[in-house]
Amino acid sequence: MSLLSDAELDEGAIWEAVADPGVPQLGELLWVVDLNRQSLDRVVPDIPTQRLAGIFEAAGWQVITLKWGRLINEVFAQAGGHHLRNRLETMPNEEYQRLLRLEADHLALHLVEEVEDDYERKEFEQLLSRLGPNLLAVAIRDLSGHDMEQLLASFAQADDQRPTVVFAYTITGKGLPTQGHPYNYSTLLTEQQMHQRAHDCGVALEEPWQRFAPDNEPGQAVRSTSAGTAA
């Protein structure tokens, strides 16, 4: 298994490897492409994932795409949900990244401001009103690349007779004050922000290497894995 970013797909060597005539014969080869729409110093320009998927498929790869999480898919299924899906899926990467930095109270207004049809706008506004600003803010960040269950399910679908690529949409720095910022790769958190993040994760900043408690689920998983490795 290899993990790549979407920006790394700009490299010619990647496509030389993908198109190598021997690669389609390789089973149990899995690439996960982290589609976070950012590189070190910019938002990655719009390149339709369908086009990238087509190149992999033409080279004999299996392609699995993980974009929206379970919460937002439930929203899409509601009355008016198709307007939100269409709005999110047709906006440029730069606009989506800006959405991540908007205050929750401003999201709904931004999303509907380009809807020209009065009936569609009303239906869209009703959906956003039912959701409320806080749930809407959570929903637009619900990308399946952050969902471990969905990731593991995609790995289970991998064809062991040929290479597989999983396109997993994510947000760089999700949950941090810098999420979505085009320069967040080089942005440092303040000490206060670091303490807050540690608190949110249930750990202490002063003890960065503390172990999981042996009686909780993560601690039991670590102990079980360690015992299996030792065996």
Side-chain angles (χ1 to χ4, degrees), residues 146-222:
H146 296 289
D147 188 322
M148 189 56 66
E149 288 188 23
Q150 288 187 305
L151 281 169
L152 292 176
S154 74
F155 298 163
Q157 297 172 29
D159 187 343
D160 61 4
Q161 300 301 311
R162 59 175 174 152
T164 298
V165 59
V166 177
F167 290 106
Y169 282 78
T170 64
I171 297 171
T172 300
K174 184 180 180 183
L176 300 179
T178 57
Q179 66 180 347
H181 195 285
Y183 300 115
N184 62 12
Y185 280 88
S186 57
T187 301
L188 299 178
L189 299 181
T190 66
E191 183 175 354
Q192 181 180 357
Q193 290 169 337
M194 291 176 66
H195 278 287
Q196 181 61 50
R197 188 59 178 167
H199 178 269
D200 294 341
C201 294
V203 298
L205 192 62
E206 296 79 9
E207 299 181 68
W209 310 116
Q210 65 190 90
R211 297 175 179 269
F212 291 111
D215 57 344
N216 64 18
E217 186 175 351
Q220 292 172 357
V222 170

Side-chain angles (χ1 to χ4, degrees), residues 117-167:
D117 183 274
D118 290 340
Y119 177 78
E120 291 185 1
R121 185 184 182 100
K122 182 177 181 181
E123 194 175 43
F124 196 4
E125 288 176 337
Q126 288 173 344
L127 169 73
L128 299 179
S129 178
R130 289 197 306 272
L131 293 177
N134 293 330
L135 181 55
L136 176 61
V138 173
I140 67 166
R141 293 166 170 79
D142 185 30
L143 302 182
S144 52
H146 296 289
D147 188 322
M148 189 56 66
E149 288 188 23
Q150 288 187 305
L151 281 169
L152 292 176
S154 74
F155 298 163
Q157 297 172 29
D159 187 343
D160 61 4
Q161 300 301 311
R162 59 175 174 152
T164 298
V165 59
V166 177
F167 290 106

Side-chain angles (χ1 to χ4, degrees), residues 37-131:
R37 312 180 219 215
Q38 288 192 234
S39 62
L40 287 174
D41 57 358
R42 63 170 183 162
V43 175
V44 174
D46 290 289
I47 301 176
T49 307
Q50 295 87 343
R51 191 189 341 163
L52 297 175
I55 298 174
F56 277 96
E57 288 174 341
W61 289 58
Q62 177 189 17
V63 176
I64 300 173
T65 300
L66 299 177
K67 186 167 188 178
W68 301 113
R70 288 172 286 182
L71 170 63
I72 197 169
N73 272 313
E74 292 177 1
V75 174
F76 291 156
Q78 296 182 26
H82 62 287
H83 297 306
L84 179 60
R85 178 190 283 273
N86 182 66
R87 183 74 174 87
L88 291 174
E89 292 191 345
T90 58
M91 67 174 53
N93 286 345
E94 292 85 356
E95 183 179 1
Y96 180 77
Q97 297 299 102
R98 287 197 300 272
L99 278 184
L100 302 176
R101 305 197 300 276
L102 284 180
E103 295 292 335
D105 291 338
H106 298 161
L107 283 174
L109 179 61
H110 179 85
L111 287 169
V112 301
E113 65 183 358
E114 294 187 8
V115 179
E116 297 179 355
D117 183 274
D118 290 340
Y119 177 78
E120 291 185 1
R121 185 184 182 100
K122 182 177 181 181
E123 194 175 43
F124 196 4
E125 288 176 337
Q126 288 173 344
L127 169 73
L128 299 179
S129 178
R130 289 197 306 272
L131 293 177

